[in-house]
């Protein structure tokens, strides 16, 4: 019974020593006829495995010697297994107890059905009991599954059995379907087919709920402990203000290592309202000590900025070196693709060299774009610094923008030249292959590719020419802007000198303020006139409006 579960697989059997050979179809049919059952499908079918019973076991020994026979379900031997997996066919055996015998169901029949297992189920329903079965016999059979806490027997051949643990219920469910016979009687009142099923009990559900609540409490406690462990520590308590504490705090404020702690205490005292007429001088000295750290912090910031600039410069230099090496590798590949060396390579070697060359060019272009981005950022930072220092910052911003655009166009021009060289190399390769091969279909497709590449090369050349023209236009605009800037600066200096001389003449001749105002108005009008002349060069469409505004100001 329940053999393979707990490790009694090494026990052998001698079926000749049993009173009734369970492998003998005739004996099995006789037993079933005595119970009033019709045997089904017993033609030589082995119902008991060879590893289940104890060798040399004779049930008549109990009557002859008074020795209790060895029962496969004795406590402590753990013969009652957990429920077997559904995909494995389990062969149930005959179970011999002290007061009864349990015969297994027909293995060809489907397994007995059970209801859905309630949560925390420890109680089973046992139906189909013999009419003469007592609580002692029931306990003798089912106590082998585990500790029984209660048996509630009914008068209608069923009972409820409550176990101490949940896993014991699975062992009891295993007995469902067995035919129970009391002693060796053939009376119908002494036999019955057991039906074991899960039972729903309030006590089981209550204990399950209590256990779930306990697990929830433990989980909450564990989470709280984890949160407390990960929570940052509370800030230290701030001492109350006193003259002694203020003296100690003034010393801490002068120390760089304790400044952050001391400044927090000072802020708390001021927010609490500890400043009064008596302690105002002491607080002023502490605030002054806090202000003395500003210069130190600015020096630290400058040092960190210098370190960052050095790191940027080292990165840029390293990137430049890497880009140089990439250029050398690409030059090696380009030299290898020329006809002097290319003819000596095999077809597979040419293919590998071509793949390596394209990969190196892609990496080279990516690194050059990254380096260009770093240089653009540096130029923008420099232009921002210059625009903040110079009063004529608008013109500088325009100049820097034009210079950045010109540099970007130059870089784009270089990248297009590299692509053009790559296309030329491909055209040369196609020409070489065309000269080596016959005029076949492959040669025709290569001619088409060659024409397509020539067209793309022409398009690239046209694009290159347009970019060069645009670059020349941008350079001319930049030179024109510089000339206008120098002209406006010269005019400004001349007007400033005229203004000074006019003011000196007004002071010498003793004129009143109205004459000085007229001179200022005249100078402003001259400046506006000069600006309008420059604007007329840029926007000739507003010429009449500017002239009208200038005439109105002069009058």
């Amino acid at each position: 019974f329940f053999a393979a579960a707990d490790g009694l697989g090494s026990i052998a059997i001698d079926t000749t020593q049993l009173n009734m050979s369970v492998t003998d179809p005739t004996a099995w049919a006789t037993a079933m006829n005595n119970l009033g059952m019709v045997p089904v499908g017993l033609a030589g079918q082995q119902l008991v495995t060879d590893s289940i019973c104890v060798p040399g076991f004779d049930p008549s020994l109990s009557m002859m010697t008074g020795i209790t026979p060895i029962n496969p379900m004795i406590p402590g031997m753990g013969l009652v297994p957990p429920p077997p997996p559904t995909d494995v066919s389990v062969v149930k055996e005959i179970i011999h107890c002290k007061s009864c015998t349990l015969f297994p169901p027909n293995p060809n029949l489907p397994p007995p059905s059970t209801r859905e297992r309630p949560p925390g189920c420890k109680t089973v329903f046992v139906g189909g009991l013999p009419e003469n079965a007592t609580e002692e016999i029931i306990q003798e059979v089912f106590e082998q599954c585990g500790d029984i806490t209660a048996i509630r027997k009914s008068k209608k051949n069923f009972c409820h059995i409550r176990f101490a643990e949940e896993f014991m219920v699975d062992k009891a469910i295993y007995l469902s379907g067995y035919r129970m016979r009391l002693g060796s009687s053939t009376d119908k009142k002494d036999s019955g087919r057991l039906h074991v099923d899960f039972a729903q009990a309030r006590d089981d559900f209550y204990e399950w709920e209590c256990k779930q609540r306990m697990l929830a409490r433990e989980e909450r406690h564990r989470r709280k402990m984890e949160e407390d462990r990960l929570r940052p520590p509370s800030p230290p308590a701030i001492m109350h203000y006193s003259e002694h504490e203020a003296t100690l705090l003034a010393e801490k404020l002068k120390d760089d290592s304790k400044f952050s702690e001391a400044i927090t205490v000072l802020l708390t005292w001021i927010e609490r309202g500890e400043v009064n007429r008596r302690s105002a001088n002491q607080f002023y000295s502490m605030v002054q000590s806090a202000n003395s750290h500003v210069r130190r912090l600015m020096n630290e910031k400058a040092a960190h900025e210098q370190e960052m600039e050095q790191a940027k410069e080292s990165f840029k230099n390293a990137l430049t070196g890497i880009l140089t090496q990439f250029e050398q590798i690409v030059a090696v590949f380009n030299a290898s693709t020329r006809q002097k060396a290319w003819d000596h390579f095999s077809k597979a070697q040419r293919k590998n060299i071509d793949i390596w060359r394209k990969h190196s060019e892609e990496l080279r272009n990516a690194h050059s774009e990254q380096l260009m981005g770093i240089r653009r950022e540096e130029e923008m930072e420099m232009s921002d610094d210059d625009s903040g220092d110079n009063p004529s910052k608008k013109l500088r911003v325009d100049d820097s923008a034009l210079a950045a655009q010109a540099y970007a166009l130059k870089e784009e021009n270089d990248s297009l030249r590299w692509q053009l060289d790559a296309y030329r190399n491909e055209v040369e390769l196609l020409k070489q292959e065309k000269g080596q091969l016959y005029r076949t279909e492959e040669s025709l497709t290569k001619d088409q590719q060659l024409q397509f590449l020539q067209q793309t090369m022409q398009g690239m050349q046209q694009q290159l020419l347009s970019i060069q023209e645009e670059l020349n236009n941008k350079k001319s605009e930049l030179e024109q802007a510089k000339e206008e800037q120098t002209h406006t600066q010269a005019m400004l200096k001349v007007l400033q000198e005229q203004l000074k001389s006019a003011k000196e003449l007004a002071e010498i001749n003793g004129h009143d303020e109205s004459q000085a105002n007229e001179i200022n108005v005249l100078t402003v009008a001259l400046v506006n006139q000069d600006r309008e002349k420059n604007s007329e060069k840029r926007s000739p469409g507003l010429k009449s409006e500017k002239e009208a505004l200038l005439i109105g100001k002069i009058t």
Side-chain angles (χ1 to χ4, degrees):
F1 163 59
F2 318 127
D6 295 358
L8 292 180
S10 62
I11 301 176
I13 183 168
D14 184 7
T15 56
T16 61
Q17 296 181 2
L18 292 174
N19 287 343
M20 182 186 70
S21 176
V22 295
T23 60
D24 186 6
T26 306
W28 181 256
T30 304
M32 294 295 103
N33 286 328
N34 293 333
L35 293 172
M37 298 169 56
V38 178
V40 179
L42 296 174
Q45 184 179 4
Q46 184 179 357
L47 298 177
V48 180
T49 59
D50 294 339
S51 61
I52 188 56
C53 296
V54 180
F57 169 67
D58 189 358
S60 63
L61 288 176
S62 59
M63 295 183 288
M64 295 170 59
T65 59
I67 301 173
T68 306
I70 299 174
N71 191 341
M73 292 183 65
I74 57 176
M77 294 189 72
L79 293 178
V80 181
T86 56
D87 56 346
V88 179
S89 60
V90 178
V91 178
K92 297 183 179 181
E93 292 86 11
I94 298 174
I95 304 169
H96 296 280
C97 297
K98 186 176 180 181
S99 305
C100 63
T101 305
L102 299 178
F103 295 94
N106 186 2
N108 294 327
L109 296 176
S113 60
T114 57
R115 63 180 294 178
E116 185 179 357
R117 182 169 187 160
C121 180
K122 295 181 183 178
T123 306
V124 294
F125 165 81
V126 182
L129 292 170
E131 293 184 13
N132 296 332
T134 60
E135 287 190 10
E136 289 77 12
I137 296 173
I138 296 171
Q139 186 165 3
E140 178 188 353
V141 173
F142 285 95
E143 70 182 354
Q144 313 306 325
C145 301
D147 296 335
I148 296 174
T149 58
I151 296 177
R152 295 189 297 272
K153 188 175 181 304
S154 175
K155 296 178 181 180
K156 295 183 178 181
N157 302 333
F158 70 89
C159 69
H160 288 86
I161 302 174
R162 189 165 191 263
F163 292 96
E165 299 295 336
E166 292 184 26
F167 69 90
M168 301 173 183
V169 173
D170 299 322
K171 296 182 179 181
I173 294 293
Y174 184 79
L175 297 176
S176 183
Y178 271 77
R179 169 71 64 174
M180 183 177 181
R181 186 178 69 180
L182 303 181
S184 59
S185 175
T186 59
D187 191 1
K188 289 187 177 181
K189 293 185 178 181
D190 293 333
S191 66
R193 183 177 295 278
L194 300 180
H195 175 69
V196 187
D197 199 355
F198 301 109
Q200 191 166 5
R202 288 192 297 268
D203 296 339
D204 297 343
F205 188 70
Y206 176 72
E207 289 182 3
W208 179 78
E209 282 186 335
C210 292
K211 187 177 180 180
Q212 295 300 316
R213 284 195 291 268
M214 182 185 68
L215 293 175
R217 285 195 299 270
E218 291 178 356
E219 180 67 17
R220 286 198 300 270
H221 178 69
R222 187 188 63 78
R223 288 182 181 177
K224 185 178 179 183
M225 294 294 291
E226 188 71 15
E227 289 176 359
D228 292 342
R229 187 177 66 82
L230 298 176
R231 185 182 293 120
S234 301
I238 305 298
M239 72 288 290
H240 291 283
Y241 171 77
S242 65
E243 292 184 359
H244 175 67
E245 294 291 343
T247 305
L248 295 176
L249 185 65
E251 294 297 327
K252 287 182 180 180
L253 285 170
K254 295 176 183 178
D255 190 0
D256 295 343
S257 60
K258 300 178 181 178
F259 173 73
S260 59
E261 179 184 354
I263 197 71
T264 305
V265 177
L266 178 60
L267 176 62
T268 306
W269 283 355
I270 294 174
E271 289 178 349
R272 285 179 182 173
E274 301 290 349
V275 182
N276 51 31
R277 190 172 294 177
R278 182 179 177 183
S279 60
N281 293 329
Q282 201 166 11
F283 272 98
Y284 177 76
S285 63
M286 288 189 285
V287 172
Q288 191 175 8
S289 299
N291 184 51
S292 64
H293 287 272
V294 174
R295 184 178 295 175
R296 174 182 66 83
L297 295 174
M298 293 301 295
N299 292 333
E300 289 181 0
K301 181 189 174 186
H304 289 305
E305 287 180 349
Q306 188 176 2
E307 291 178 359
M308 186 176 68
E309 292 296 330
Q310 290 176 357
K312 281 184 178 179
E313 189 66 26
S314 63
F315 174 71
K316 188 176 74 173
N317 294 334
L319 195 62
T320 305
I322 291 169
L323 187 60
T324 304
Q325 294 178 13
F326 269 119
E327 292 287 350
Q328 293 172 353
I329 293 170
V330 172
V332 168
F333 285 131
N334 291 332
S336 300
T337 55
R338 288 171 189 159
Q339 189 170 4
K340 290 182 180 180
W342 191 253
D343 293 340
H344 300 287
F345 292 119
S346 64
K347 199 166 187 179
Q349 290 174 347
R350 292 177 185 177
K351 185 177 181 182
N352 290 333
I353 290 172
D354 198 14
I355 292 171
W356 295 339
R357 179 178 60 81
K358 290 179 180 178
H359 184 60
S360 299
E361 286 178 354
E362 289 176 359
L363 293 175
R364 189 264 317 272
N365 294 334
H367 282 78
S368 64
E369 288 177 1
Q370 189 175 3
L371 188 62
M372 285 163 52
I374 293 172
R375 287 175 179 171
R376 284 196 207 102
E377 290 178 358
E378 290 180 353
E379 290 178 356
M380 289 174 68
E381 289 176 359
M382 291 173 62
S383 64
D384 291 339
D385 296 338
D386 295 340
S387 64
D389 296 337
N390 201 337
S392 59
K393 56 184 180 181
K394 290 185 179 179
L395 291 174
R396 289 287 181 90
V397 169
D398 295 338
D399 295 345
S400 63
L402 291 171
Q405 290 179 1
Y407 184 77
L409 290 170
K410 185 178 179 182
E411 294 291 340
E412 189 176 357
N413 188 11
D414 294 338
S415 65
L416 289 172
R417 281 179 182 174
W418 293 336
Q419 294 179 6
L420 188 60
D421 293 337
Y423 281 124
R424 283 176 180 171
N425 292 329
E426 290 183 2
V427 170
E428 289 177 0
L429 291 175
L430 290 173
K431 284 181 179 178
Q432 292 171 6
E433 292 179 359
K434 180 183 175 183
Q436 292 174 0
L437 297 176
Y438 294 102
R439 294 292 295 181
T440 59
E441 294 179 358
E442 295 179 359
S443 63
L444 292 174
T445 55
K446 287 179 181 178
D447 290 339
Q448 293 176 358
Q449 291 179 358
L450 184 61
Q451 292 176 1
F452 176 71
L453 289 172
Q454 288 177 353
Q455 291 176 0
T456 53
M457 188 170 65
Q458 291 176 1
M460 295 289 289
Q461 289 176 352
Q462 292 177 0
Q463 188 177 1
L464 184 62
L465 292 172
S466 63
I467 290 172
Q468 287 179 351
E469 291 177 0
E470 189 176 354
L471 181 61
N472 294 330
N473 294 331
K474 293 290 183 182
K475 286 182 180 179
S476 61
E477 289 179 2
L478 184 62
E479 292 177 357
Q480 186 178 359
K482 287 181 179 179
E483 290 177 359
E484 290 177 358
Q485 180 185 357
T486 53
H487 180 67
T488 51
Q489 287 179 354
M491 290 297 296
L492 186 62
K493 288 180 181 179
V494 171
L495 291 172
Q496 285 177 354
E497 290 176 359
Q498 290 179 0
L499 181 63
K500 288 181 182 179
S501 61
K503 285 183 179 179
E504 289 175 359
L505 290 173
E507 289 176 357
I508 292 170
N509 296 330
H511 291 291
D512 55 358
E513 293 182 357
S514 62
Q515 292 178 351
N517 290 331
E518 291 177 0
I519 293 169
N520 290 332
V521 169
L522 183 59
T523 55
V524 169
L526 291 172
V527 171
N528 290 331
Q529 185 178 4
D530 188 22
R531 287 182 179 176
E532 287 161 2
K533 286 179 180 179
N534 293 329
S535 63
E536 285 173 4
K537 294 178 181 178
R538 297 181 185 177
S539 59
L542 299 175
K543 187 172 179 181
S544 60
E545 295 181 2
K546 294 289 184 179
E547 287 181 355
L549 183 62
L550 181 60
I551 291 169
K553 287 182 178 180
I554 292 171
T555 54

